[in-house]
């Protein structure tokens, strides 16, 4: 129903022919830093930052050029080279720079640049800093491949690339067993999701003979419902893995073991948002499969509430933010599942979330920097005076995420809640509750970190971070304030050619749903103040019999469930296979070997070296052969 | 005369030769016994040829004689060289080629 609004991409001209350098420059820089070794130790971080700034500059130029073009010519295809040809299938590496992918490219390179700059300060004392920047560049390049691809195969290349880069970065401090385990966990759980994408691609090749977005979008409408649903569910599985949605969410909180800029990059700008991108990009498939669409909405809603729940009871500042990411991505998935009404809002929220979540993660990094890398919020308190800039910028992110009027999140989240109510009252209600819980746990985080009494450990002297860290914070804080206002009236029209038309009136005056949201948010803030603002925070988490808190502290027992359902049975299977290998196969093979060895020892005895012995053997042989012949004649 | 008698004689000669190879240690005697067995074969071939009335057996016996002559050349040379190095022609002393 919306396909007629999709404009055919035009061939690349002018600046657009340089689009590939957006990917190539960081990629080559990553390779250089990794291969050149210690030679680049002194300037590697600066070169890596420059590489991302280059990508950002290109993205900005392309965006500017797109803005000047008429809407029909904004989507540009840039053919790079033919990857390989198999039978009737031809796999091309082609970049698609359209209204959707350019926004992603801007977010990835823009926020990515700020994170690079910030990391110069944050990682200043790490002796493996060069390596860290190489991995960051690899991440940026992989993510750009993911969003700029014009077909699923090339997208998959980037998809796996971010998986690899996230593994390297999450387990960057590999000398810590927890970090190594967290990296492995993220990697393995992502592979489960990747299986979904592989199966989706297989289905596409079988159905359409092509994986390019254009062919899939064009073919989806004629697809049999069964195959459309299967394809949609496979894509959803892929999105769940990458975006840490229930049931593949367990890796996200552990991923906090990585350096904080990594968390900001993964959560705000890159990997975790890839699932939402995938669903929005494949919208034609989902529109042909209402069941899959419903599944997306359910997954989004469940994750939105689960993430918020986890956020309410974690004491680790980064884990609160990680739970919050899950929850916000849940909002985006929910919006993407609603259908045409939600696509633009999903992307809108993704962009504003990119800004304020990067802001808050980097702010949390700044706090950790001042607190000797302590992440336990129970050891914070009263930091608003000690770290003025960090506090103020973090507060902007806080106001944006809870949806304080006219901050970035206010626009994007309210639109999603409105769209959810328009779709289904129950889903809308869940989204509304989610907004309240978000306000509750974020207020808790603010109160525990920046307000109240000092609960600092001995020997900790909080101080403001250097300028190289605070300036990115300030820029992100400005975006956290204004990004929503900036894009509110523009993003729907802008994205219309890429994701379809869906008129949704937006205005500054709150709708009834918007007013209800504000009320719920206010209730959340007040609730948090009642619980955490009025009395001192104990230095250790108090014992509680509240099942909600216990479940939240244990991350909703996700690890236990996974252990019980998957890890345990897999271990049993593996042990059985190992035992069968050792007891059965090894013994059989060894036994055969021993049997032949014994037989040959016996046979060796016949080789005496005495001529007459051999002659006797031959005679026996002749006699036996003769006897057989004669008896055969007689018979 | 009944041609089968020739075959019986050939069998006897072969048996004598075989027993000789098995029981005598002297390489020269063993060699003579091998010749005896070859001759027994030749006798059987010629007798068989006579019985069937063809020339196949005669031709085969001719080949056996050629092979036997060649064998004597090689075999005697080996025996002589063994005797030169070991001062003995006992076949049991020369068992170095076993595994």
């Amino acid at each position: 129903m919306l396909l007629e609004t999709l404009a055919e991409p035009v061939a690349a001209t002018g600046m657009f022919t340089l689009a590939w350098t957006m990917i190539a420059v960081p990629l080559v820089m990553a390779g250089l830093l990794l291969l050149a070794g210690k030679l680049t130790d002194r300037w590697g971080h600066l070169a890596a930052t420059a590489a991302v700034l280059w990508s950002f500059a290109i993205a900005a130029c392309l965006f500017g050029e797109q803005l000047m073009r008429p809407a029909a010519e904004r989507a540009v295809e840039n053919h790079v080279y033919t990857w390989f040809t198999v039978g009737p299938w031809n796999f091309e590496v082609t970049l698609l720079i359209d209204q959707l992918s350019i926004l992603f490219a801007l977010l990835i390179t823009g926020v990515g640049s700020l994170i690079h700059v910030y990391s110069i300060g944050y990682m200043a004392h790490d002796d493996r800093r060069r390596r860290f920047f190489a991995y960051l560049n690899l991440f940026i390049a992989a993510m750009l491949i993911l969003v700029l691809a014009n077909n699923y195969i090339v997208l998959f290349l980037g998809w796996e690339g971010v998986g690899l880069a996230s593994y390297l970065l999450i387990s960057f401090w590999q000398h810590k067993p927890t970090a190594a385990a967290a990296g492995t966990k993220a990697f393995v759980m992502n592979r489960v999701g990747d299986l979904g994408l592989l199966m989706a691609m297989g289905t596409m090749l079988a159905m359409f003979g092509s994986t390019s977005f254009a062919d899939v979008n064009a073919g989806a409408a004629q697809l049999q419902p069964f195959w459309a649903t299967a394809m949609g569910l496979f894509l959803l599985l892929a999105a769940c893995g990458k975006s840490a949605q229930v049931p593949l969410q367990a890796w996200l909180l552990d991923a906090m073991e990585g350096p904080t800029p990594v968390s900001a990059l993964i959560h705000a700008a890159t990997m975790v948002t890839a699932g939402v991108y995938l669903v929005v990009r494949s919208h034609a498939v989902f529109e042909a499969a209402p069941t899959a669409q419903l599944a997306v909405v359910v997954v989004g809603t469940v994750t939105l509430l689960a993430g918020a729940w986890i956020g309410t009871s974690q004491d680790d500042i980064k884990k609160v933010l990680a739970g919050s990411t899950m929850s916000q991505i849940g909002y985006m998935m929910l919006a993407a599942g609603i259908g045409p009404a939600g696509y633009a809002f999903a992307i809108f929220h993704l962009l504003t979330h990119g800004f304020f979540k990067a802001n808050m993660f980097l702010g949390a990094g700044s706090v950790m920097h001042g607190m000797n890398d302590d992440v336990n919020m129970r050891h914070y308190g009263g930091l608003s005076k000690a770290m003025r800039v960090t506090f103020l910028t973090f507060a902007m992110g806080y106001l944006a995420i809870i949806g304080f009027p006219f901050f970035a999140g206010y626009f994007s989240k309210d639109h999603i809640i409105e769209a959810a109510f328009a779709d289904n009252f129950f889903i809308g209600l869940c989204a509304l509750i989610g907004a309240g819980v978000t306000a509750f746990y974020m207020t808790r985080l603010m109160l525990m970190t920046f307000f109240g009494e000092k609960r600092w450990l001995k020997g900790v002297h909080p101080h403001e971070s250097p300028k190289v860290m605070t300036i990115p914070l300030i820029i992100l804080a400005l975006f956290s304030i204004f990004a929503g206002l900036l894009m509110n009236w523009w993003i729907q029209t802008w994205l219309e050619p890429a994701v379809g038309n869906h008129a949704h009136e937006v205005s500054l005056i709150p709708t009834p749903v918007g007013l209800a949201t504000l009320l719920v948010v206010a209730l959340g803030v007040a609730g948090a103040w009642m619980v955490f603002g009025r009395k001192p925070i104990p230095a250790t988490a108090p014992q509680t019999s509240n099942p909600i808190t216990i479940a939240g502290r244990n991350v909703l027992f996700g690890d236990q469930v996974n252990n019980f359902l998957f890890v345990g049975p897999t271990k049993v299977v593996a042990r059985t296979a190992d035992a069968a290998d050792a007891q059965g196969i090894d013994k059989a093979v060894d036994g055969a070997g021993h049997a032949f060895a014994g037989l040959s020892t016996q046979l060796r005895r016949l080789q005496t070296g005495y001529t007459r012995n051999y002659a006797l053997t031959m005679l026996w042989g002749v006699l036996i052969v003769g006897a057989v012949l004669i008896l055969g004649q007689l018979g | 005369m009944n041609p089968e008698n020739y075959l019986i004689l050939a069998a006897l000669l072969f048996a004598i030769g075989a027993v000789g190879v098995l029981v005598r240690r002297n390489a020269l005697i063993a060699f003579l016994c091998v010749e005896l067995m070859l001759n027994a074969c030749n006798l059987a071939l010629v007798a068989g040829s006579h019985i069937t009335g063809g020339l196949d057996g005669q031709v085969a016996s001719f080949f056996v004689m050629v092979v036997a002559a060649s064998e004597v050349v090689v075999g005697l040379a080996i025996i002589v060289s063994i005797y030169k190095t070991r001062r003995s022609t006992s076949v049991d002393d020369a068992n170095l080629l076993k595994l």
Side-chain angles (χ1 to χ4, degrees):
Chain A
M1 56 191 156
L2 51 91
L3 293 173
E4 62 274 11
T5 61
L6 291 172
E8 277 291 306
V10 297
T13 49
M15 276 301 287
F16 284 97
T17 50
L18 282 179
W20 61 276
T21 60
M22 263 199 280
I23 299 166
V25 170
L27 196 62
V28 169
M29 189 59 75
L32 182 73
L33 292 187
L34 287 175
L35 291 176
K38 289 186 178 150
L39 288 177
T40 56
D41 262 349
R42 291 184 53 201
W43 47 269
H45 51 286
L46 299 176
T49 312
V52 183
L53 282 171
W54 165 268
S55 303
F56 177 64
I58 296 278
C61 289
L62 297 187
F63 181 57
E65 196 163 330
Q66 278 187 333
L67 278 176
M68 285 186 285
R69 289 184 176 193
E73 291 170 24
R74 279 180 183 152
V76 177
E77 253 182 3
N78 184 5
H79 181 251
V80 185
Y81 69 102
T82 302
W83 192 0
F84 59 96
T85 309
V86 180
W89 295 323
N90 200 14
F91 297 103
E92 310 270 343
V93 176
T94 305
L95 303 183
L96 172 67
I97 304 121
D98 69 348
Q99 291 88 340
L100 179 59
S101 58
I102 194 72
L103 290 181
F104 268 90
L106 281 172
L107 178 74
I108 295 158
T109 55
V111 176
S113 303
L114 293 174
I115 290 169
H116 272 71
V117 173
Y118 176 94
S119 306
I120 294 176
Y122 191 83
M123 300 298 281
H125 307 299
D126 198 298
D127 31 326
R128 290 165 74 233
R129 176 165 68 163
R130 168 183 56 83
R131 202 175 271 266
F132 179 76
F133 274 87
Y135 294 158
L136 280 189
N137 264 8
L138 181 66
F139 207 140
I140 298 279
M143 191 64 199
L144 284 172
I145 295 176
L146 200 166
V147 296
L148 290 176
N150 94 322
N151 62 63
Y152 286 92
I153 302 250
V154 178
L155 180 144
F156 189 67
L157 189 71
W159 190 267
E160 291 298 305
V162 293
L164 168 69
S166 69
Y167 168 74
L168 292 171
L169 284 169
I170 290 169
S171 51
F172 183 72
W173 287 321
Q174 57 202 210
H175 51 86
K176 284 198 294 184
T178 46
T184 313
K185 188 172 179 186
F187 196 75
V188 170
M189 295 204 80
N190 267 290
R191 290 289 80 70
V192 178
D194 295 345
L195 196 64
L197 189 52
L198 275 174
M199 291 194 289
M201 287 196 299
T203 320
M204 283 167 196
L205 283 175
M207 293 289 131
F208 311 125
S210 160
T211 61
S212 82
F213 296 147
D215 291 341
V216 172
N217 281 342
Q222 286 91 42
L223 207 55
Q224 286 166 4
F226 172 77
W227 287 113
T229 309
M231 208 183 282
L233 291 177
F234 291 153
L235 287 170
L236 175 63
L237 177 64
C240 281
K242 215 41 107 190
S243 293
Q245 304 285 295
V246 173
L248 295 177
Q249 83 290 5
W251 63 273
L252 195 70
L253 263 71
D254 290 21
M256 295 298 108
E257 289 289 343
T260 310
V262 172
S263 313
L265 191 62
I266 294 182
H267 285 238
T270 59
M271 185 163 151
V272 177
T273 61
V276 180
Y277 172 77
L278 186 73
V279 173
V280 173
R281 196 45 114 179
S282 320
H283 58 89
V285 175
F286 283 100
E287 265 148 43
T291 319
Q293 236 173 356
L294 180 68
V296 175
V297 173
V298 170
V299 164
T301 312
V302 169
T303 313
L304 136 71
L305 292 175
W309 185 351
I310 292 169
T312 55
S313 10
Q314 291 288 324
D315 285 336
D316 178 333
I317 184 168
K318 285 174 77 184
K319 290 195 172 169
V320 176
L321 291 175
S324 149
T325 302
M326 254 176 82
S327 163
Q328 300 299 314
I329 303 279
Y331 270 112
M332 299 170 210
M333 291 290 271
L334 164 62
I338 286 174
Y343 297 135
F345 298 146
I347 300 300
F348 187 19
H349 194 53
L350 195 153
L351 294 171
T352 56
H353 172 258
F355 294 125
F356 61 68
K357 187 50 67 61
N359 177 13
M360 284 192 287
F361 260 118
L362 296 184
S366 180
V367 169
M368 286 160 59
H369 196 76
M371 301 296 288
N372 294 356
D373 288 332
D374 193 347
V375 289
N376 192 339
M377 293 196 295
R378 293 189 183 276
H379 301 157
Y380 291 173
L383 286 177
S384 61
K385 291 200 181 59
M387 308 178 84
R388 202 80 203 158
V389 181
T390 306
F391 164 62
L392 285 175
T393 54
F394 200 101
M396 298 307 118
Y398 160 72
L399 291 176
I401 196 176
I402 65 169
F404 194 80
F406 308 118
F407 279 68
Y410 167 72
F411 297 101
S412 51
K413 192 154 63 174
D414 275 16
H415 291 332
I416 293 180
I417 296 172
E418 277 169 30
F421 267 113
D423 186 59
N424 178 319
F425 179 76
F426 181 70
I427 300 286
L429 198 63
C430 288
L432 190 63
I433 293 169
V437 182
T438 305
F440 177 81
Y441 70 75
M442 286 312 296
T443 310
R444 171 177 177 269
L445 186 152
M446 285 300 281
L447 290 171
M448 286 175 85
T449 306
F450 293 107
F451 296 102
E453 294 163 25
K454 299 171 182 176
R455 299 183 300 275
W456 307 343
L457 294 178
K458 251 186 231 160
V460 174
H461 304 287
H463 50 274
E464 190 49 85
S465 302
K467 282 229 164 53
V468 72
M469 287 165 70
T470 50
I471 287 173
L473 284 178
I474 293 168
I475 298 173
L476 285 169
L478 289 177
F479 271 106
S480 306
I481 303 171
F482 296 114
L485 215 56
L486 212 60
M487 290 190 281
N488 193 25
W489 287 272
W490 166 81
I491 194 155
Q492 287 194 62
T493 8
W494 173 257
L495 282 176
E496 187 190 315
V499 298
N501 180 22
H502 47 87
H504 182 93
E505 288 300 318
V506 288
S507 74
L508 274 182
I509 305 152
T511 55
V513 173
L515 284 174
T517 311
L518 281 180
L519 184 69
V520 171
V521 166
L523 280 177
V525 173
W529 190 79
M530 296 280 279
V531 183
F532 300 102
R534 292 186 309 168
K535 46 184 191 274
I537 312 274
T540 50
Q543 286 290 323
T544 173
S545 56
N546 182 350
I548 295 177
T549 314
I550 293 172
R553 279 186 190 157
N554 289 296
V555 202
L556 307 185
F557 302 105
D559 284 348
Q560 285 81 346
V561 169
N562 281 344
N563 277 338
F564 179 72
L565 285 182
F566 302 107
V567 179
T570 310
K571 272 186 177 164
V572 170
V573 170
R575 285 215 190 90
T576 317
D578 184 46
D581 182 45
Q583 301 298 320
I585 296 173
D586 278 9
K587 289 228 166 126
V589 174
D590 285 357
H594 286 308
F596 278 108
L599 189 63
S600 68
T601 325
Q602 298 305 318
L603 282 175
R604 219 179 130 146
R605 301 223 172 122
L606 296 175
Q607 302 281 326
T608 54
Y610 294 112
T611 315
R612 297 181 303 149
N613 237 330
Y614 299 155
L616 183 62
T617 316
M618 282 157 80
L619 186 67
W620 274 119
V622 169
L623 288 180
I624 290 168
V625 171
V628 167
L629 285 175
I630 290 167
L631 289 174
Q633 291 285 317
L634 291 179
Chain B
M1 206 160 93
N2 190 356
E4 283 182 9
N5 292 339
Y6 291 102
L7 290 179
I8 292 165
L9 176 63
L12 282 173
L13 282 176
F14 190 91
I16 292 166
V19 171
V21 168
L22 289 180
V23 300
R24 299 299 297 264
R25 241 178 243 159
N26 190 316
L28 282 171
I29 303 293
F31 220 70
L32 286 175
C33 292
V34 171
E35 294 298 321
L36 200 57
M37 285 155 76
L38 287 170
N39 279 330
C41 288
N42 275 348
L43 185 58
L45 283 169
V46 175
S49 180
H50 181 75
I51 292 167
T52 55
L55 279 176
D56 295 359
Q58 316 260 10
V59 175
S61 77
F62 190 70
F63 275 105
V64 172
M65 274 185 249
V66 173
V67 172
S70 324
E71 190 202 332
V72 167
V73 172
V74 178
L76 271 181
I78 292 172
I79 291 168
V80 169
S81 77
I82 288 175
Y83 179 73
K84 272 187 171 170
T85 50
R86 302 177 161 254
R87 291 282 143 201
S88 147
T89 54
S90 166
V91 287
D92 287 358
D93 288 352
N95 61 354
L96 289 175
L97 285 180
K98 71 173 177 184
L99 271 173

